[in-house]
């Protein structure tokens, strides 16, 4: 494709290939560790974490879908599985009978403690033990910059500035 | 989890959350663009690119699985779909009748030109237009560092150094 007018230079290509692969492998490894130690898929773990951060341990299903950037049908499926495990309960919303809440159970909090400890070990092993503090700060800054473009509506939550970037700014 | 001895500090947590989300969203956007413009899932596109980089446009199925870090059954499924589209042919390996090669067809190369152009536009829009050249270099360095830990067997291919990282080195 190098004969096309709109192509990437070698550094850009290398950066893309390395970054995309690194973060996919990271997801795979973290998932593998969680599955092996507590038998929990990563997406389920992340739903439990999200619920645990709410003061009441409960979130509307539609909110879970939005926050995780996941299709509502996938969230329904995941919550059904988590309900079968006894880690989550589904409750009707009092104001709106068509809406459902997912509520973290005590058993869910217990599972989360084990899973959380494993998750922290994985994060250390694959990321924070290998990056220098300077690289960690750079990664945070880079990720926030990308989120400012990829998800401008929620950019403030990540501490991201929404900016048009060097090329557009000068255009 | 902040009352547990082994936990992440706030900067680490923010870095993790932002980075993981940014790269997942990136995959989602790039996939969406490709689907919309050429009706091709990202994983299929990446298989075609991989084949196109081989001088003969062909790779053993097992090699495809290894290089994409994907289960062989998923590769078989993807190649079957690509075969149905006329973009890839499956051929027996002459030396070993149990092995199969996936071979890129002319039609596949044509599709790849359209898909490649769209892919480059997405990469520019979401990444290279928003990162400064300095951030791009940092991202390459960070990704190679992570790959050195996540995939040491192939680290040299990405230009990654395999290193144990600051914590282990001082332990």
């Amino acid at each position: 494709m190098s004969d096309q007018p709109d192509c990437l230079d070698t550094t850009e290509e290398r950066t893309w290939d390395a970054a995309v692969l690194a973060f996919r492998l990271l997801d795979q490894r973290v998932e593998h560790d969680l599955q092996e130690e507590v038998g929990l898929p990563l997406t389920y773990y992340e739903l439990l974490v999200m619920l645990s951060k709410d003061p009441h341990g409960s979130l509307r299903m539609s909110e879970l879908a939005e926050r995780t950037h996941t299709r509502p049908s996938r969230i329904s499926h995941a919550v059904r599985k988590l309900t079968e495990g006894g880690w989550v309960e589904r409750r009707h919303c009092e104001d709106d009978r068509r809406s459902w809440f997912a509520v973290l159970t005590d058993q869910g909090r217990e599972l989360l403690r084990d899973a959380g400890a494993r998750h922290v070990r994985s994060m250390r092993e694959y990321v924070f033990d290998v990056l220098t503090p300077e690289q960690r700060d750079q990664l945070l800054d880079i990720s926030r910059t990308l989120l400012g473009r990829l998800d401008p509506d929620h950019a403030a939550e990540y501490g991201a500035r929404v900016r048009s970037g060097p090329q557009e700014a000068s255009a």
Side-chain angles (χ1 to χ4, degrees), chain A:
Chain A
M1 279 176 288
S2 55
D3 54 342
Q4 295 201 356
D6 190 14
C7 61
L8 299 182
D9 67 37
T10 318
T11 313
E12 287 171 331
E13 253 185 46
R14 281 192 191 141
T15 304
W16 181 272
D17 289 348
V20 165
L21 181 61
F23 283 92
R24 282 190 201 160
L25 280 182
L26 191 55
D27 258 351
Q28 279 182 23
R29 292 300 169 87
V30 171
E31 165 111 40
H32 174 266
D33 293 347
L34 267 182
Q35 284 275 20
E36 203 174 51
E37 185 132 337
V38 286
L40 195 67
L42 182 56
T43 45
Y44 294 8
Y45 169 74
E46 290 173 346
L47 289 180
L48 294 180
V49 169
M50 210 160 275
L51 289 174
S52 76
K53 286 184 175 168
D54 179 83
H56 305 286
S58 76
L59 283 172
R60 219 181 269 265
M61 304 283 273
S62 53
E63 250 176 309
L64 276 173
E66 203 195 328
R67 291 197 193 179
T68 52
H69 300 269
T70 308
R71 283 195 306 273
S73 62
R74 290 194 64 185
I75 290 293
S76 297
H77 179 77
V79 169
R80 197 160 48 239
K81 286 283 177 192
L82 288 169
T83 306
E84 285 167 20
W87 303 308
V88 159
E89 276 174 19
R90 293 195 337 151
R91 287 201 202 128
H92 259 307
C93 174
E94 288 190 8
D95 302 338
D96 174 3
R97 297 287 298 172
R98 286 167 309 173
S99 294
W100 287 91
F101 275 93
V103 188
L104 193 61
T105 64
D106 289 345
Q107 227 175 313
R109 288 186 196 277
E110 212 169 295
L111 180 77
L112 203 48
R113 267 194 297 275
D114 296 338
R118 173 69 251 197
H119 195 239
V120 166
R121 283 210 307 282
S122 304
M123 293 190 276
R124 286 223 173 289
E125 184 182 346
Y126 306 132
V127 177
F128 298 112
D129 282 359
V130 283
L131 296 186
T132 64
E134 197 187 4
Q135 283 180 313
R136 184 204 55 206
D137 291 347
Q138 291 167 354
L139 179 59
L140 177 57
D141 191 51
I142 289 167
S143 304
R144 285 176 165 172
T145 303
L146 296 180
L147 287 170
R149 171 61 60 98
L150 290 163
D151 191 19
D153 292 346
H154 299 94
E157 293 167 30
Y158 321 122
R161 282 159 300 156
V162 183
R163 63 183 188 191
S164 55
Q167 289 214 356
E168 284 187 20
S170 64

